[in-house]
Amino acid sequence: MEIYYINSEEFLKSHDTDFLRRFTDGREFKSVKRFVQYSLGRYLVKSVAKKFYIMADTEIIVENDKPKFKNGGMFFSISHSGKYVAAAFDNVACGLDIEEMKPRDFEALSARYNKDFQNTEDFYKFWTEYEAEIKLQQKTQASYSCVFQDNFMLTAVSVNPAFSQPSCISRFDV
């Protein structure tokens, strides 16, 4: 599994939102933030697929609420939080979640989820794994979590029991 990410704030310094319109699949959005997250996620997936996996056809369809390449060839999962948009790629089904870690009421969260969260990282590791598993839509065989860019938690899950960590987590240069 490989993970690529884009800092949306940096991206928008060199690209305008008109550039991103071609990645909206004709959808309308209630906010500029949601428009940027969605279209930048699609841009990232299509660009990485072409550049690193040499995929000629990067058309994306949605099946069972999960985006996938129309003609197969590679699995991916997209996530976004704050200024980051990230995508995981693998030759087997995968799920990815990234969340900006913010102060929370860990006592209330521990009671709500019947877990003992000691700190921010404990809670966000639990939460991102939960979200990544939903995106996987299959039984998780392995997972990997790390603190990303100082205050984000990133978790990737896989159906591959041999998965231990991504082979790379790389900034995608645009």
Side-chain angles (χ1 to χ4, degrees):
M1 180 184 304
E2 297 176 329
I3 299 172
Y4 296 89
Y5 68 92
I6 292 178
N7 179 322
S8 62
E9 292 172 357
E10 290 177 10
F11 181 88
L12 290 172
K13 288 178 184 176
S14 59
H15 297 81
D16 60 23
T17 55
D18 286 338
F19 171 81
L20 291 174
R21 292 215 187 283
R22 64 180 121 166
F23 299 97
T24 63
D25 306 322
R27 297 179 83 172
E28 295 294 324
F29 299 90
K30 293 181 180 180
S31 71
V32 172
K33 178 182 176 184
R34 183 68 185 121
F35 158 73
V36 169
Q37 290 172 332
Y38 179 92
S39 53
L40 197 51
R42 293 302 199 264
Y43 164 78
L44 176 62
V45 166
K46 289 175 179 237
S47 298
V48 167
K50 286 179 183 176
K51 184 174 182 176
F52 297 110
Y53 302 108
I54 321 302
M55 290 180 66
D57 183 359
T58 59
E59 183 178 352
I60 296 172
I61 60 169
V62 177
E63 195 172 273
N64 298 322
D65 293 326
K66 185 171 176 63
K68 67 180 209 167
F69 290 117
K70 182 178 180 179
N71 293 319
M74 180 67 55
F75 292 86
F76 67 89
S77 182
I78 303 169
S79 186
H80 44 75
S81 181
K83 62 185 177 182
Y84 291 105
V85 176
F89 296 84
D90 206 346
N91 59 358
V92 297
C94 58
L96 177 71
D97 193 52
I98 183 172
E99 293 289 335
E100 184 172 9
M101 294 188 291
K102 299 174 182 176
R104 305 292 298 258
D105 180 349
F106 298 114
E107 188 174 318
L109 290 168
S110 293
R112 179 176 180 182
Y113 294 106
N114 198 26
K115 302 258 184 208
D116 184 23
F117 302 121
Q118 296 295 311
N119 55 41
T120 304
E121 287 183 26
D122 278 355
F123 170 72
Y124 281 100
K125 182 179 184 299
F126 161 79
W127 186 253
T128 56
E129 187 170 325
Y130 172 77
E131 291 285 317
E133 287 176 345
I134 290 171
K135 293 176 184 180
L136 181 63
Q137 295 183 339
Q138 296 180 45
K139 182 170 175 38
T140 297
Q141 297 296 317
S143 69
Y144 169 82
S145 297
C146 70
V147 175
F148 171 77
Q149 299 294 325
D150 297 327
N151 65 330
F152 288 79
M153 180 62 72
L154 179 146
T155 296
V157 296
S158 177
V159 296
N160 178 0
F163 170 70
S164 62
Q165 68 182 47
S167 57
C168 76
I169 301 175
S170 302
R171 190 178 105 216
F172 182 70
D173 291 318
V174 292

